[in-house]
Amino acid sequence: MRLDFLETGPALLVEENLRVLVAGDLHLGIESDLSRHGLHIRSRSRQRKERLLSCIESSSPDLLVLLGDVKHNVPLTSRQEFQELPGILDALRSRVPITLVPGNHDPGIEKFFHEGEILSKTGALIDGVGYIHGHTYPDPSLQGHLIIAGHHHPMISIRDEVGCALRAPGYLLAGVDDVCLQFPASSERETGETRVLFIPALNELAGYDIIRTAKEPFSPLSRCMKTEQSEVFLADGTFIGPLGSLEDHGDADGA
Amino acid sequence: METQTALDRRVQDCIRARGFSRLSEIQEKAIPLVREGRNLLLVAPTGTGKTESAMIPVFDAMMSKTGGGFCTLYITPLRSLNRDMLQRLEWWCRELGLRVGVRHGDTTQTERRKQALHPPDLLITTPETLQALFMGKVLRKHLANVRYVVIDEIHELAGSKRGAQLAVALERLREYSGEFQRIGLSATVGNPEEVGRFLCGARDFSIVCVPVTKHLEISVDFAGDSFEKQAAWVSRAVGRHESTLVFVNTRVTAEALGHKLYHRGDVEVHHGSLSKDVRIEAEERFRSGSVRALISTSSMELGIDIGRIEHVVQFGSPREVARLVQRVGRAGHQMDAVSRGTVLATGFDDLLESLVIARRAKAGQVEDVNIPLNAADVLANQVAALAVEYRELSRQRIRDIVGRSYPFAVAGNLVDEVCTQMAEHGLIRIEGDMVRSGGRSRRYLSSNLSMIHDERKVVVFDMVARKTVGTLDESFVVGFVHTGAVFITKGQLWRVLDIEEGRIIVEPAKKAKGELPSWEGEQIPVPFSVAREVGSLRRSRDFSPYHPGERPLEFASRFLVEMDRNRTKVPHDTLITLENAPEGVVCNVCAGHKANEALARVLSILLSARYGTTVGIEIDAYRIYLRLPSSVKAADVREILCSLDPAHLEGILQLAMKRTALFKWKMVQVAKKFGAIDPDADYERISTHRLVEIFDGTVVQKEAYRELFSVYMDVPAAARIVSLVRDGAIDVVVSPLSILGAEGLFASRDQISPPAADQAVIGTLKRRLEQQEIILACMHCRNWKSRTTVSRVPEPLRCPFCGAGLVAVLKPWEEPLIAIAKKKGKNDEERAVAQRLLRNANIVLSGGKKAVTALAARGVGPENASRILSTLAEGDGFYREIIRAERNYIRTRRFW
């Protein structure tokens, strides 16, 4: 299996028998929610669509997996979403078959998708790789596979000696504990280690410090991951090191 | 006398009843001009009867008019001034049978309703409340009656965005009332012509100037550099006069001095952080004579009447000539009387600066008021106001109205730019040439009547002790504080755990390297002109034009002699000295705060680009302190300073500022005034970092830069220093650390981060590789192997058994390969392994430590390592090659 890190998405191309393009957490409609909270910015959905289209362009995938939270507003669907979603999804469909693993922001998304495009929110196995949004316990069929998950919007902060930081979206790979994930203890299947790869949000306004996710996990996957075996990458695939290497050096040096 | 008898009888009676036997000089000059209907700027020190000069002819004219109210607007910058003005003008109005009203933020609803129904003839108000008047239909109707607008303390307003907003408001007013007569009352400024333009736009006007300076008697004294001695000096000075006003520069000093003098029982403290009641009480006790001294910050500078002041003490340098003139002008307070003031200097810089400022004050060399031109956020605010006022109007009409005001007279296509941005965030709607108010316009306007940024306070809560530590300014929180950040407050280090609505959760932190920014907004900048003259005084050492007393002269001479004795050069206006200090380099540059700020940031970004390190900066009026790693020395700074091109400063600064907390904070402020962010917005929804990117390249960003480069720093002045260095008119030398270089309290400031974000990535990579565990195996004797880390590998690397340099570098999980390589009788696969190890060792032999480092990287084997080494990349380039190789490996590795 090959992974291509598409920095412009950010998105991920998973290549085995199929070429699967994965993008998570579009949160289309976020602007109308921000506006309700006092931040008025013009909708940037068009740019997000274009970033995604350019990923499709450059990677010519066989399938686009949207990893949940395509829309933003819950429980109601905003006018912005009604206006923007059909056009954007059609633009994607016209280039590549699409499929959705629904996320926690997706109630009401059915009306925008065609029959058969929506998979289970507990995840699906495609071409040997598990795909899940990441707010639920994963389906047992994902056990022993690499599980690609959204929902966590990983952001990476890097500090130098003086303490100023680079903040950028990134990826986190970690092993996960099968028992903790409530996978049935099945003996006969040939299981590799179950691992999870958290992917960054395509929505550029979303982002959550990865260290905090590790310290205060808020989902089954983040609670069950083995942080000591973790690996962190930037959006372009640059290997940063284990999660522990991101700790504040300003403090760690002299302590 | 003639002037007086020409007035309405009732006004003449009032003048007599007020106890004026004759008109003052300024009144004699001003009254005929106002009666002629001319627009007028009156420049005179406080207490020379400026208000009366303006109001006597206005009252006179009002007597002959039967208006429906709002005949005259009297606009002052402060509510507290309104209160005072009301008391003074109420008497006149009562005697003359005119109705007077005051309207500002504190005015009750009942009073407001009354004013709408029965508008007073004279309305005393603030610029912000004037904005509110345009919002009411009834009030707008009354505005049509306005014949006179008097702007008090116009010098205070002209230099700010509040003033720019007011200038537009006057043009909006004219749409209802037609042309009205404009009268501005100003303290002494360097550029009265321009302030007149600010008042009138392109209309004709006259200036009546009463030179303040001939009435000033200013001396400078020195009492030692300990606060104890200085406080004792103030105490003695207070004892020598009936009534003394003591000005200090910061609230902290006010409190400290108040504490020291409290035991006297006749001293009160007066500053902006005290409650209104406490302040009014202090003013009244002073006026009635029950206290003889008031210690005050700038809160007492403006014309609040507190009775006769015999002597003004300025504690520490006043920093600006205008400030000294204004402050000492408070003394005497009777026309023609001489104002007496003494500056108590507190140190060497402070003393020279005080002498220079005192000389300039006496010579009438007051600073110009810096009028902000084309402030885009003010324009946005007024476009929204116009849209609400008219529901819809053409952009041409907007251009006409704002274009009559001086601050927007040459605005180019700023109106269009601003409208486009506002339509983008949905504050107004644009259809063709028409601008219409949008759904949010009215709500925006009611919460943005003022151009003053109101700072929210954010509570800091200590998670461990479970108690509130204190509060931080919103600006600080927005620009700097994020989860994991470490900052200092109450003298302790804290780490941010969480940011909630209006609250930051922290835990005590152990340590943080580098300085952390904090905004102590009370620093009054020393202007370029003053700092240059201080420099020239340091050079000539000729104190005679400054008439110092015995103690100041002795102290200054002693200081200079000590500099000479230490063989340290005294930096001056044509000599910049660079001194190596323990944690960086002190650059002694006599250029004032704002020019030094610009220069420091330029140096810091260039140093940071060249040496790939973060540079901390601290500045004052005479020095720049660059916090640098020990490898960067004064000579390196000299090289960069001497190669600067003055034309490049602004471009460099745009890059430099973009990443700073200050810029982010400014952007948020401007975006708020643009209506893109509500005053009560929940910032935690989105990081400021992202927010700043959203406004990249927009007029919002342009305005943030404009303000930074004109208000927070002085780029043209910095460019002048740079060109003087270039022309050789200023020498730059490296000199040992001197008592002058080390003097001064450095406030902690912003840091500039290295140019490319990848600097941080490379830093992380270096650290990771150095700590990487590796196994060394000799491929010559094949009898030695050792487990170590990259950082501990000796240079050159030799096998301790056979002394050969043919050592392979393996990752810990490759250890079994060594046994394979030693095997006799290998199969094909095993032979390949042995070959790879030999190749590995060969690369180490030829590439040395660099090869060891490369081979320690993720997925870098002999092929990749030799490719990386063959690029001959050095330093950061070398690490970038490693990053590239690792990225490639990760993309393609098998175990995904």
Side-chain angles (χ1 to χ4, degrees):
Chain A
M1 191 199 320
R2 256 181 80 108
L3 292 188
D4 251 328
F5 294 84
L6 307 178
E7 195 185 0
T8 40
L12 190 66
L13 182 76
V14 184
E15 207 182 342
E16 183 78 37
N17 299 315
L18 285 175
R19 295 169 69 83
V20 178
L21 180 63
V22 196
D25 298 281
L26 274 66
H27 289 272
L28 299 172
I30 193 173
E31 290 86 0
S32 60
D33 182 45
L34 287 177
S35 191
R36 272 203 304 283
H37 289 90
L39 300 155
H40 309 282
I41 54 179
R42 166 187 261 181
S43 165
R44 295 159 69 87
S45 298
R46 196 173 51 80
Q47 290 95 308
R48 287 176 203 127
K49 176 186 80 180
E50 271 156 19
R51 288 207 304 271
L52 201 43
L53 289 179
S54 92
C55 289
I56 295 175
E57 187 78 21
S58 66
S59 63
S60 34
D62 301 314
L63 178 68
L64 169 63
V65 176
L66 295 170
L67 221 45
D69 288 358
V70 167
K71 62 189 276 293
H72 181 76
N73 292 285
V74 276
L76 295 176
T77 303
S78 67
R79 202 168 62 177
Q80 191 194 353
E81 284 155 345
F82 275 112
Q83 282 170 349
E84 295 178 351
L85 277 171
I88 293 174
L89 293 175
D90 280 344
L92 299 174
R93 267 186 207 108
S94 70
R95 287 160 176 85
V96 60
I98 64 172
T99 185
L100 168 73
V101 191
N104 49 320
H105 282 254
D106 288 328
I109 196 79
E110 307 80 34
K111 46 185 160 300
F112 303 105
F113 276 82
H114 297 169
E115 185 128 353
E117 282 179 343
I118 300 186
L119 303 172
S120 162
K121 67 175 181 195
T122 59
L125 199 62
I126 301 171
D127 200 17
V129 176
Y131 294 94
I132 189 172
H133 175 62
H135 62 300
T136 61
Y137 278 95
D139 190 90
S141 64
L142 307 188
Q143 187 181 8
H145 295 276
L146 173 68
I147 301 174
I148 299 184
H151 188 57
H152 297 78
H153 310 173
M155 287 288 280
I156 296 163
S157 299
I158 301 181
R159 306 169 170 284
D160 66 8
E161 300 86 47
V162 195
C164 71
L166 156 78
R167 269 167 69 77
Y171 292 80
L172 172 64
L173 175 74
V176 273
D177 187 290
D178 285 359
V179 177
C180 169
L181 280 181
Q182 304 177 355
F183 283 144
S186 61
S187 49
E188 74 258 41
R189 46 186 304 167
E190 175 237 320
T191 49
E193 193 202 359
T194 314
R195 286 159 302 136
V196 63
L197 176 66
F198 294 110
I199 68 166
L202 185 116
N203 187 308
E204 73 290 347
L205 300 180
Y208 196 78
D209 200 298
I210 210 168
I211 297 283
R212 253 183 101 190
T213 305
K215 281 191 178 148
E216 298 158 42
F218 53 86
S219 65
L221 283 169
S222 56
R223 268 194 300 275
C224 297
M225 68 179 176
K226 305 171 188 164
T227 46
E228 64 284 0
Q229 300 167 20
S230 57
E231 292 178 18
V232 174
F233 310 95
L234 293 183
D236 62 358
T238 301
F239 176 54
I240 294 298
L243 204 50
S245 69
L246 292 180
E247 298 286 356
D248 187 344
H249 293 285
D251 230 22
D253 276 0
Chain B
M1 219 50 201
E2 209 177 307
T3 312
Q4 196 169 345
T5 49
L7 294 166
D8 186 287
R9 284 214 69 80
R10 286 164 292 182
V11 176
Q12 287 191 42
D13 289 346
C14 280
I15 295 173
R16 267 192 299 277
R18 216 43 179 154
F20 297 126
S21 52
R22 60 182 179 84
L23 294 175
S24 70
E25 180 191 347
I26 185 170
Q27 287 164 345
E28 283 285 356
K29 280 191 201 162
I31 291 172
L33 291 166
V34 176
R35 279 174 59 93
E36 273 170 41
R38 295 190 61 83
N39 295 321
L40 182 68
L41 179 68
L42 268 173
V43 185
T46 325
T48 46
K50 256 189 299 186
T51 307
E52 280 76 13
S53 324
M55 289 312 289
I56 286 171
V58 170
F59 282 136
D60 179 55
M62 285 168 80
M63 298 311 292
S64 56
K65 284 208 178 67
T66 48
F70 281 6
C71 180
T72 303
L73 299 183
Y74 193 101
I75 299 168
T76 70
L78 283 177
R79 278 179 213 170
S80 51
L81 274 177
N82 288 354
R83 188 160 37 78
D84 195 55
M85 214 46 72
L86 181 66
Q87 280 167 8
R88 273 160 80 179
L89 294 177
E90 235 171 10
W91 179 89
W92 287 86
C93 289
R94 202 170 47 238
E95 295 293 308
L96 296 172
L98 295 169
R99 274 171 314 128
V100 60
V102 68
R103 190 182 179 105
H104 50 61
D106 295 343
T107 311
T108 60
Q109 279 303 321
T110 337
E111 183 61 27
R112 281 163 193 255
R113 248 193 318 278
K114 241 167 56 194
Q115 287 175 359
L117 292 172
H118 307 283
D121 301 299
L122 169 65
L123 183 69
I124 302 170
T125 190
T126 58
E128 288 70 31
T129 306
L130 174 61
Q131 290 287 329
L133 293 182
F134 288 102
M135 288 185 79
K137 234 185 244 162
V138 185
L139 289 168
R140 252 182 345 234
K141 208 177 70 208
H142 297 319
L143 287 178
N145 300 328
V146 171
R147 307 297 348 127
Y148 301 93
V149 172
V150 183
I151 304 178
D152 202 356
E153 312 275 2
I154 191 171
H155 59 282
E156 279 285 318
L157 289 167
S160 69
K161 289 189 171 182
R162 296 177 75 196
Q165 187 197 33
L166 174 61
V168 176
L170 293 184
E171 301 310 327
R172 288 165 62 199
L173 175 59
R174 183 201 159 280
E175 297 293 296
Y176 296 100
S177 63
E179 287 296 339
F180 47 83
Q181 203 172 332
R182 300 166 185 234
I183 302 161
L185 311 180
S186 173
T188 314
V189 293
N191 53 342
E193 277 292 332
E194 202 188 358
V195 174
R197 282 275 147 259
F198 166 79
L199 175 67
C200 303
R203 300 165 186 87
D204 274 347
F205 65 93
S206 309
I207 298 178
V208 169
C209 234
V210 174
V212 62
T213 47
K214 64 178 180 193
H215 302 295
L216 288 180
E217 211 179 280
I218 302 171
S219 57
V220 176
D221 205 354
F222 182 78
D225 37 23
S226 79
F227 184 68
E228 305 290 317
K229 285 182 185 161
Q230 291 156 3
W233 182 98
V234 173
S235 182
R236 283 195 302 275
V238 166
R240 272 196 296 271
H241 298 275
E242 275 304 298
S243 53
T244 306
L245 199 49
V246 182
F247 280 110
V248 295
N249 290 339
T250 67
R251 287 169 194 178
V252 179
T253 318
E255 289 293 351
L257 201 53
H259 183 75
K260 277 268 178 258
L261 303 186
Y262 183 74
H263 67 91
R264 292 180 55 100
D266 55 1
V267 175
E268 291 266 6
V269 176
H270 186 284
H271 62 70
S273 295
L274 295 171
S275 78
K276 189 170 131 193
D277 295 342
V278 174
R279 273 182 288 161
I280 294 177
E281 202 195 306
E283 288 163 28
E284 251 144 37
R285 278 163 58 83
F286 185 84
R287 198 180 296 130
S288 68
S290 58
V291 296
R292 59 198 299 164
L294 214 49
I295 300 171
S296 155
T297 57
S298 51
S299 56
M300 267 290 122
E301 256 167 47
L302 301 179
I304 296 167
D305 185 10
I306 50 165
R308 201 182 123 69
I309 301 160
E310 211 180 295
H311 184 225
V312 166
V313 169
Q314 165 65 41
F315 189 90
S317 157
R319 306 290 185 95
E320 291 172 334
V321 181
R323 195 169 290 266
L324 181 62
V325 167
Q326 178 89 342
R327 288 181 168 183
V328 174
R330 294 302 314 257
H333 226 248
Q334 237 163 26
M335 302 161 220
D336 309 325
V338 170
S339 297
R340 286 191 180 82
T342 309
V343 181
L344 179 68
T346 57
F348 180 75
D349 279 346
D350 204 69
L351 172 60
L352 264 59
E353 190 176 292
S354 300
L355 289 170
V356 165
I357 291 173
R359 187 203 67 74
R360 293 176 82 88
K362 281 179 273 192
Q365 291 165 325
V366 180
E367 292 89 9
D368 286 359
V369 175
N370 231 328
I371 300 175
L373 299 182
N374 297 333
D377 52 347
V378 175
L379 191 57
N381 175 269
Q382 290 300 285
V383 167
L386 283 165
V388 167
E389 194 179 324
Y390 294 95
R391 310 270 301 262
E392 65 166 13
L393 79 170
S394 70
R395 271 187 270 180
Q396 188 50 52
R397 178 131 190 239
I398 296 177
R399 275 192 288 268
D400 290 344
I401 294 174
V402 303
R404 286 197 303 259
S405 75
Y406 177 72
F408 297 100
V410 201
N413 59 350
L414 193 62
V415 168
D416 290 321
E417 266 182 81
V418 162
C419 287
T420 310
Q421 175 63 40
M422 291 168 78
E424 169 145 349
H425 58 251
L427 194 57
I428 55 166
R429 287 174 299 148
I430 301 180
E431 279 157 50
D433 193 46
M434 299 305 281
V435 168
R436 293 199 170 86
S437 66
R440 280 199 300 124
S441 308
R442 211 180 165 84
R443 196 157 46 94
Y444 156 81
L445 207 57
S446 7
S447 49
N448 284 285
L449 287 170
S450 165
M451 293 311 295
I452 306 169
H453 303 287
D454 42 4
E455 280 252 52
R456 283 197 297 192
K457 291 280 181 192
V458 181
V459 172
V460 182
F461 184 81
D462 177 2
M463 192 70 175
V464 178
R466 305 215 60 87
K467 65 174 173 57
T468 302
V469 183
T471 56
L472 283 177
D473 284 350
E474 185 189 20
S475 55
F476 181 81
V477 175
V478 163
F480 178 71
V481 176
H482 54 87
T483 304
V486 177
F487 65 94
I488 304 173
T489 188
K490 309 270 158 180
Q492 230 195 307
L493 280 169
W494 305 94
R495 174 187 312 282
V496 180
L497 296 176
D498 202 356
I499 305 170
E500 303 175 346
E501 197 128 336
R503 198 164 90 136
I504 302 179
I505 314 288
V506 298
E507 64 179 3
K510 290 183 289 284
K511 106 182 231 263
K513 281 192 178 173
E515 291 302 306
L516 303 161
S518 72
W519 316 114
E520 282 306 335
E522 292 180 327
Q523 280 254 20
I524 304 153
V526 174
F528 186 68
S529 52
V530 170
R532 296 304 288 156
E533 190 173 330
V534 167
S536 107
L537 177 56
R538 281 186 187 174
R539 174 168 48 89
S540 68
R541 304 191 185 186
D542 175 10
F543 286 87
S544 54
Y546 299 91
H547 314 292
E550 202 176 302
R551 267 175 308 187
L553 184 60
E554 198 234 300
F555 170 72
S557 316
R558 213 176 45 222
F559 193 97
L560 288 168
V561 166
E562 194 176 339
M563 283 291 285
D564 296 341
R565 223 187 3 239
N566 296 342
R567 295 174 197 285
T568 46
K569 288 206 165 78
V570 178
H572 50 68
D573 56 344
T574 61
L575 178 69
I576 292 174
T577 60
L578 306 177
E579 304 174 353
N580 283 314
E583 281 177 57
V585 174
V586 181
C587 317
N588 294 288
V589 187
C590 299
H593 283 91
K594 290 180 179 182
N596 275 354
E597 175 90 45
L599 205 53
R601 286 182 186 271
V602 167
L603 288 175
S604 132
I605 185 106
L606 293 177
L607 284 164
S608 136
R610 179 168 304 181
Y611 298 100
T613 161
T614 307
V615 179
I617 55 173
E618 293 162 25
I619 62 120
D620 67 19
Y622 308 101
R623 52 186 77 71
I624 297 166
Y625 183 31
L626 301 164
R627 283 181 183 277
L628 294 162
S630 50
S631 56
V632 187
K633 294 288 185 203
D636 304 312
V637 177
R638 181 178 187 278
E639 193 196 327
I640 285 186
L641 178 59
C642 291
S643 61
L644 274 177
D645 182 337
H648 294 163
L649 294 194
E650 182 147 349
I652 296 172
L653 280 170
Q654 289 210 358
L655 284 175
M657 293 309 294
K658 204 166 171 181
R659 282 189 302 277
T660 61
L662 178 60
F663 176 70
K664 290 178 190 167
W665 171 58
K666 249 303 97 173
M667 278 282 274
V668 169
Q669 277 193 342
V670 173
K672 275 184 172 181
K673 289 301 159 201
F674 255 93
I677 301 178
D678 290 348
D680 55 352
D682 178 2
Y683 298 114
E684 275 307 294
R685 297 252 147 201
I686 182 174
S687 80
T688 342
H689 182 77
R690 298 286 159 144
L691 205 56
V692 169
E693 279 170 16
I694 287 173
F695 295 111
D696 232 11
T698 65
V699 65
V700 175
Q701 188 194 49
K702 222 164 87 180
E703 172 60 23
Y705 277 136
R706 189 201 63 78
E707 197 177 333
L708 278 181
F709 294 162
S710 61
V711 177
Y712 290 83
M713 51 184 82
D714 187 344
V715 180
R720 247 168 77 196
I721 295 290
V722 170
S723 30
L724 289 172
V725 168
R726 224 180 147 83
D727 301 346
I730 293 182
D731 259 342
V732 183
V733 300
V734 174
S735 176
L737 186 61
S738 67
I739 49 170
L740 187 54
E743 204 201 44
L745 288 166
F746 287 113
S748 59
R749 301 299 297 267
D750 249 351
Q751 328 165 354
I752 301 248
S753 42
D758 73 6
Q759 202 60 54
V761 176
I762 288 173
T764 316
L765 172 72
K766 279 186 189 164
R767 264 194 306 274
R768 168 159 62 81
L769 291 180
E770 273 171 18
Q771 288 158 20
Q772 176 68 49
E773 279 209 343
I774 47 170
I775 297 188
L776 304 175
C778 177
M779 288 292 116
H780 181 70
C781 66
R782 310 207 174 194
N783 282 328
W784 177 68
K785 70 175 182 183
S786 162
R787 188 179 268 262
T788 180
T789 61
V790 170
S791 60
R792 275 184 259 148
V793 171
E795 178 107 76
L797 175 56
R798 299 242 179 274
C799 170
F801 290 173
C802 67
L806 198 64
V807 177
V809 173
L810 303 174
K811 275 122 200 161
W813 56 88
E814 292 172 323
E815 194 170 348
L817 300 183
I818 300 170
I820 296 175
K822 279 169 87 169
K823 245 168 91 172
K824 301 235 159 78
K826 306 180 187 79
N827 61 24
D828 284 355
E829 205 178 315
E830 286 163 344
R831 241 192 311 281
V833 167
Q835 292 236 299
R836 269 177 67 81
L837 290 197
L838 199 58
R839 190 154 173 222
N840 180 318
N842 264 313
I843 292 166
V844 175
L845 180 63
S846 61
K849 184 80 180 235
K850 263 175 85 180
V852 176
T853 307
L855 284 164
R858 209 70 196 290
V860 174
E863 298 80 13
N864 269 329
S866 65
R867 192 193 52 75
I868 292 170
L869 293 171
S870 70
T871 61
L872 299 175
E874 286 292 335
D876 289 355
F878 168 65
Y879 287 101
R880 259 185 225 109
E881 287 297 331
I882 293 183
I883 286 175
R884 186 134 38 108
E886 284 192 334
R887 216 182 273 163
N888 205 42
Y889 164 73
I890 281 153
R891 208 160 58 101
T892 54
R893 69 174 161 182
R894 286 279 101 199
F895 83 95
W896 284 113

